[in-house]
Amino acid sequence: MRVVRPTRLFRARGTRAPWLVALVTVLLVATGAAPASAAVSVSRADVSGSTLRLEGTATAARDITVDGVVMGRSDSGGKIKINGSGYTSPADCTIDVNDGSATPRVATLSGCTVSSPPPPPASSGPAAPVPSAPANGASVTAPLTLSWSTVTHPSGIIGYNWEVSSSPSFSPVVTKNSTNPDVTQDTVGVLAAGTYYWRVQAVNGALVQGAWSATRSFVVTGASPGALGAPVLDPLPFGNAQYHPMESFPFTWSAVPGASSYVVEASRDATFPDPPEIKFDNIPKTSYGLTMHQTLIGNWNLRVYAVDANGVAGARSNVRTFSISYNAPIGPAPTLASPADGATLDLPITLDWNDVENPQDLGYEIQVSSDPTFSTLDIQGPTTPSQYTVLSLPAGTKYWRVRSTEGDASPTTAAMTAFSAVRSFTVSGGPPKVASIDLGRPSVFSGMNGHGTIQLSGPAPPGGAVVELTSTHPGATGLPATVQVDAGFAFAQFDFRYGHVTEPAA
């Protein structure tokens, strides 16, 4: 990016715009009048605090302006005497005084201190480097090396920028990069066969970019021996590659021998100008995924390429297209797998269903109700895997169903599938038993805090249930003697502390 220093704006003094000068000249020739001269003279101009004092002469009975603001009026004899309060001195301590009949008279204020000296002149850019290789118009194989001459500048050189294009106008830029100040060559990765143009510029220590070098061309005839090949990007999955905003979708490609990592690029422009709109690098595997925000609605092009251990890019893959829109197709509802419809079960109960075509993170909504119309809900919430374990529910018949989200259908609504078919199950009403006790971590160290859970086979009766705990190593696991499970619940948690031992204990 070219660094441009801000330009100071100065007031024009004693000058006219060119078109105005030309017009006045015509009138003078026609009338034979003498050239105009300034009618204002200033004998005193000083400032004390916020008080301006100005004296002098001007055309009689005229408004007198100071920097374009009327500050007083000349008398019938043409004398000026202004004593104005509430005045703020200009930063450069100079003023333009005018009576409207001629060009302004510039006066310097006594008693004023310059607070904004002119900035130093902007640094000039460094000279253009001279390309040295490859020779202009040379036929080459890719990867290839670009090289150029060294450039110096009083402020130093902090680097070089180069770019390669398939057009002499450099639109679009196919690839570009930068080097350190002591590096006057760089490697261009594998390019498709064809004619290319390149140029280079230097950047000085003031961050000013110099002129581009002369443009050179080269013709790529093929790949160099050992160059990385192109991966094959597999067809994009789900819904004919039509996705909603915020709908994640994965994709895969073939492995490239010698690849250290991969780069994924997506662009709405099929020419993939550098830099592309979306780019992810250092991908170690042959798979990736995208989630596109609503600001990225539109038609997209996707490609991938390999990079070797030296950072040299291989050939680009084939291009796959996809679209992002609020009206992308919505897939079918999930299908329920287990438990069997109408089954009577002890807690905990795992509800399982088959994944939809493109499952999302926290993309399922499960509902469990005592009412087949789901007018009230015992359980409702998002879940990530295609199953949900019910830890605690009152005894009796329950109904359940699931649906999936596929991103956004509008800025404020989710794109949801229909609900699955409804199934029922019955929570056993028999006396509850301890179904499981879990102490959490499989291995711990002395003195650590522990967190345990108790699962009953059914809800605790009125008044609750008391579970007694004992340990085969009381000194190692200091469990509480009892844990209370509240009435109507089948799940409880408790805390404890691991004791100190001198040898491993189980």
Side-chain angles (χ1 to χ4, degrees), residues 387-404:
Q387 61 178 214
Y388 184 88
T389 299
V390 179
L391 301 179
S392 187
L393 269 179
T397 300
K398 309 297 177 185
Y399 303 87
W400 69 288
R401 62 184 183 180
V402 179
R403 63 178 176 176
S404 176

Side-chain angles (χ1 to χ4, degrees), residues 54-93:
L54 183 67
E55 296 178 5
T57 61
T59 304
R62 290 289 186 91
D63 286 337
I64 305 301
T65 62
V66 177
D67 289 338
V69 178
V70 176
M71 298 286 289
R73 190 173 178 84
S74 59
D75 63 17
S76 58
K79 292 183 179 181
I80 302 172
K81 190 171 184 179
I82 295 173
N83 191 352
S85 60
Y87 179 73
T88 301
S89 302
D92 61 359
C93 293

